[in-house]
Amino acid sequence: MLTFPIFYDQVPDRKLIVDEWKIGRKVVGPGEVVKREEIASIVKEFMDLEGEGSREMRRRAGELSESCRRALAEDGKS
């Protein structure tokens, strides 16, 4: 997940996604111009199936997905 926080709840959401859950990357901070090269570089990193960074993000996203499924299942926590 690419994150580009601008205001309100987007900044704490970015912190969860990037820093806590480690399933995404921050593009730039508020007020900065996003260059196409930066977006292309991050997308290439995500699409590199053999890359350690993208492999780890996919693994963690899978764990988070499974945790959500369990919480929403019958007798789950949600």
Side-chain angles (χ1 to χ4, degrees), residues 44-56:
K44 285 179 185 176
E45 178 187 338
F46 285 159
M47 295 184 70
D48 179 11
L49 299 178
E50 300 304 317
E52 186 61 35
S54 65
R55 186 179 303 149
E56 180 64 17

Side-chain angles (χ1 to χ4, degrees), residues 7-44:
F7 56 88
Y8 300 120
D9 63 338
Q10 296 172 354
V11 175
D13 289 347
R14 188 242 2 123
K15 182 169 177 47
L16 282 173
I17 292 165
V18 176
D19 299 334
E20 302 295 326
W21 297 338
K22 297 180 181 4
I23 58 169
R25 291 273 313 269
K26 178 181 174 187
V27 178
V28 292
E32 296 182 35
V33 175
V34 179
K35 298 195 182 215
R36 75 181 331 160
E37 294 82 14
E38 181 177 5
I39 298 291
S41 172
I42 295 171
V43 169
K44 285 179 185 176

